[in-house]
Amino acid sequence: MVTASTGDHHVRQATTDDAATVAALLDAFNREFDTPTPGVQVLGRRLERLLAGGDLIAILSGEPAIGVAVVSFRPNVWYEGPVALLDELYVVPDLRSKGIGTGMIELLVSTCHDRGVGVIEIN
C-alpha cells in the first residue's frame, strides 16, 4: 500500500475495504454542490469492484478520512504509458485550505510516476 504523511494528515491509497468510506465522501461532495448521486450503498458496491480492478484508485487523507481523490488510468495514443485522469478531489468543507488536497495530489503524482504514467489530466 502506498502511504505518505503531510502535516497532521496521513495520506494513503484506499483498498477495497475502504469502498464505503470513499463512497460516503463522494456522496457528500455531490450533495454539497446539489449534484445527483446514486447514494452511498450504490457507490460503495461500484467502488469495491473498481478498486479491485487496478484501473481506478482512490487516495484518502486523514483518520478518519476527511478527503478523497479518485483517479482512473487508461491507455492513450499520444503517450507510451497510461494516462491518469483525476476524476474527483474532495475535502470536507471545514478543513479546506489546510494543504490536505495538496497532500493527496503529491501522493497521486508519486503513484503515477511509479506506474509509468505519461500525463495526469484533471477532469
Side-chain angles (χ1 to χ4, degrees), residues 68-86:
V68 64
V70 177
V71 182
S72 56
F73 298 94
R74 61 180 172 77
N76 185 292
V77 68
W78 301 112
Y79 303 98
E80 188 64 34
V83 169
L85 175 62
L86 176 61

Side-chain angles (χ1 to χ4, degrees), residues 5-6 17 21 35 49 52-54 56 58-59 69 74-75 77 106 110 113:
S5 288
T6 57
D17 291 339
T21 299
T35 303
R49 185 181 74 252
L56 181 134
I59 297 171
R74 61 180 172 77
V77 68
E106 288 172 351
S110 173
H113 177 74

Side-chain angles (χ1 to χ4, degrees), residues 1-111:
M1 177 189 319
V2 180
T3 64
S5 288
T6 57
D8 296 334
H9 304 285
H10 179 74
V11 180
R12 66 183 177 84
Q13 187 171 321
T15 68
T16 55
D17 291 339
D18 296 307
T21 299
V22 174
L25 287 164
L26 293 176
D27 183 73
F29 185 16
N30 278 24
R31 290 180 190 282
E32 180 181 340
F33 293 98
D34 295 321
T35 303
T37 174
V40 175
Q41 289 181 337
V42 171
L43 289 170
R45 285 192 302 270
R46 287 179 190 164
L47 285 160
E48 282 181 19
R49 185 181 74 252
L50 292 168
L51 291 171
D55 290 335
L56 181 134
I57 65 167
I59 297 171
L60 293 171
S61 180
E63 290 293 336
I66 44 113
V68 64
V70 177
V71 182
S72 56
F73 298 94
R74 61 180 172 77
N76 185 292
V77 68
W78 301 112
Y79 303 98
E80 188 64 34
V83 169
L85 175 62
L86 176 61
D87 295 307
E88 308 288 345
L89 179 65
Y90 177 71
V91 175
V92 297
D94 294 345
L95 296 172
R96 293 180 184 153
S97 299
K98 299 186 185 305
I100 296 163
T102 300
M104 290 187 290
I105 295 295
E106 288 172 351
L107 183 56
L108 165 62
V109 170
S110 173
T111 301

